[in-house]
């Protein structure tokens, strides 16, 4: 289930986050820089589950 969308606003998958970690990302800031996740601040509004 690595294709699960984690960040809806930037369309970032679990696989992309794991890849960032495998390639040296150590902090949330690192993950944001590499993947673009959590940079638009709209995930809660765009998440079909509402969470």
């Amino acid at each position: 289930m690595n294709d699960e969308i984690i960040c809806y606003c930037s369309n970032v998958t679990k696989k992309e986050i794991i890849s960032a970690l495998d390639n040296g990302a150590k902090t949330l800031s690192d993950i944001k820089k590499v993947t673009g996740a959590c940079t638009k601040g709209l995930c809660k509004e765009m998440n079909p589950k509402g969470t």
Side-chain angles (χ1 to χ4, degrees):
M1 192 177 231
N2 285 344
D3 291 332
E4 177 183 5
I5 301 284
I6 301 299
C7 176
Y8 287 89
C9 61
S10 296
N11 201 35
V12 177
T13 64
K14 181 177 180 178
K15 181 178 181 178
E16 291 173 292
I17 292 172
I18 291 170
S19 178
L21 293 168
D22 289 345
N23 287 300
K26 303 253 186 254
T27 65
L28 178 58
S29 181
D30 293 342
I31 293 168
K32 286 179 177 184
K33 287 177 191 172
V34 172
T35 66
C38 300
T39 57
K40 297 178 183 175
L42 301 172
C43 284
K44 185 175 181 181
E45 291 84 1
M46 296 182 78
N47 184 344
K49 296 177 187 175
T51 58

